[in-house]
Amino acid sequence: MEELHSETQQTEPEPAPKIIGLTGGIGSGKTTVARFIEEFGFPVYYSDDRAKAIVNESEDLKTKIKELLGKESYDENGLYDRKFVADQVFNNRDLLQQLNEIIHPAVRIDFENWVKKQSKYLVFKETALLFELKLNRQCYKSLLVTAEDNIRIKRVMDRDNKTYREVEAVMEKQMPERDKIKMADCIIYNNTNLEELKEQTEKVVFSIE
């Protein structure tokens, strides 16, 4: 009598999603593009938003930030004082770098845990400092949202009620757009209207293989 051998079927593990780094300078429309990407069914990790949450959630980070910048880094309710911290690091590159070295490793771990929970073949990591921190090296592709400087300045003036010079000062602290354009794998130019922006976004996203 023949023996029947039951073979255990090995299921192939799901391939890891491809990480697309999404970035853009102030007033570029990066967040709007991120919302469109979510509408198209792809998950977006908002690095800046998660960083804001993590600095309030992690006691270890709180201790390190207070040691670096002083106990005033957190208000009387124990919440991160963004204005105080921004004032401390705005014109001090060394302090800013030290602050980034505290916060960004925690965000990286948070992102890695988030990716493990995703099932789409593409996931997007939104971050303002994709190229500055060389995070593009950890991504399959980089996607830059950009616009002409005068358009970006006007958007931020209208949105944040800031003066031309205030916005310009922030832009001067950021990596020049021409450098980002050279480094980006995909580029979305946001110089016209929302309809055109959405069409561009859809075309670029679904062209990524």
Side-chain angles (χ1 to χ4, degrees), residues 46-57 74 79-80 82 103 107:
Y46 293 90
S47 299
D48 302 338
D49 289 347
R50 283 303 298 150
K52 291 173 188 175
I54 290 168
V55 293
N56 284 313
E57 295 168 356
Y74 286 80
L79 296 176
Y80 189 68
R82 288 176 54 77
I103 295 174
V107 175

Side-chain angles (χ1 to χ4, degrees), residues 26-27 150-168:
I26 187 170
N150 62 326
I151 293 175
R152 293 168 58 209
I153 290 172
K154 185 176 187 311
R155 284 177 186 153
V156 180
M157 288 173 65
D158 293 343
R159 182 189 71 195
D160 298 343
N161 196 28
K162 290 184 179 294
T163 66
Y164 185 97
R165 183 61 197 135
E166 285 173 333
V167 182
E168 194 177 45

Side-chain angles (χ1 to χ4, degrees), residues 4 6 9 17 24 32 36-37 48 52 59 63 65 78 100 104 110 126 131 145 149 153 186 189 194 203 205 208-209:
L4 296 174
S6 62
Q9 290 189 340
T32 303
F36 288 150
I37 289 170
D48 302 338
K52 291 173 188 175
E59 292 302 324
T63 299
I65 292 170
N100 285 338
H104 290 294
D110 186 70
E126 176 272 336
F131 298 120
V145 185
D149 285 356
I153 290 172
C186 310
Y189 292 95
L194 284 176
K203 183 176 180 181
V205 168
I208 299 172
E209 297 179 350

Side-chain angles (χ1 to χ4, degrees), residues 23-25 100 127-136 173-177 180 183:
T23 195
N100 285 338
T127 175
L129 301 175
L130 183 72
F131 298 120
E132 290 86 339
L133 297 177
K134 299 180 173 57
L135 300 174
N136 56 309
K173 297 286 183 181
Q174 298 182 338
M175 180 184 289
E177 289 298 290
K180 293 180 183 179
M183 299 171 74

Side-chain angles (χ1 to χ4, degrees), residues 103-119:
I103 295 174
H104 290 294
V107 175
R108 185 187 68 246
I109 293 169
D110 186 70
F111 172 69
E112 289 170 354
N113 291 333
W114 177 85
V115 169
K116 292 173 185 175
K117 300 173 185 175
Q118 306 308 316
S119 57

